[in-house]
Amino acid sequence: ALGQGSDLEKAFATVALVYNNCADPEGKLSRAETKSLLQTQFWHFIQGQENKPKYQEIISDLDEEPENKIDFEDFMMTLVMLTLMSDLLQEIKNVKTTK
């Protein structure tokens, strides 16, 4: 559907597709499923973050209240928070691309 889309559009479409493939019929993930998805599909960004208090807070939140499910909006906010604190983001910022 986004064959002619921009790189950014394709990136967000990929996130939505991965999320939707894991979500239940209501379009939500359990907290355990969310944690697992982040650990398997986003591990390059979260690698080495285990000792950071904010990372621990985010992961602890996913371990609490397992009956509460995560919708796509909450998933995206979690993804953005983990991205912003990632060491990988700093490496990416230092890469210059030419177009």
Side-chain angles (χ1 to χ4, degrees):
L2 281 175
Q4 298 298 316
S6 70
D7 290 343
L8 189 57
E9 289 171 324
K10 289 176 186 176
F12 272 89
T14 299
V15 172
L17 180 63
V18 169
Y19 178 89
N20 287 335
N21 284 338
C22 296
D24 66 16
E26 295 176 354
K28 295 185 178 187
L29 291 175
S30 73
R31 289 176 177 275
E33 291 167 329
T34 301
K35 184 177 176 180
S36 176
L37 180 61
L38 291 169
Q39 290 173 331
T40 59
Q41 294 288 317
F42 209 60
W43 72 275
H44 284 97
F45 277 89
I46 62 176
Q47 184 177 353
Q49 306 306 303
E50 298 84 3
N51 294 326
K52 291 183 178 178
K54 186 64 178 173
Y55 174 84
Q56 292 173 352
E57 178 185 327
I58 291 167
I59 296 303
S60 292
D61 186 48
L62 293 175
D63 289 332
E64 295 175 9
E65 303 178 42
E67 68 281 354
N68 290 345
K69 294 191 174 188
I70 304 286
D71 61 16
F72 184 68
E73 181 179 306
D74 289 335
F75 178 77
M76 287 300 293
M77 290 191 300
T78 302
L79 204 58
V80 168
M81 286 188 292
L82 290 172
T83 301
L84 290 173
M85 65 188 294
S86 173
D87 295 333
L88 182 58
L89 179 63
Q90 295 310 310
E91 290 178 35
I92 291 168
K93 285 180 176 181
N94 292 329
V95 174
K96 301 289 183 200
T97 59
T98 57
K99 293 217 175 193

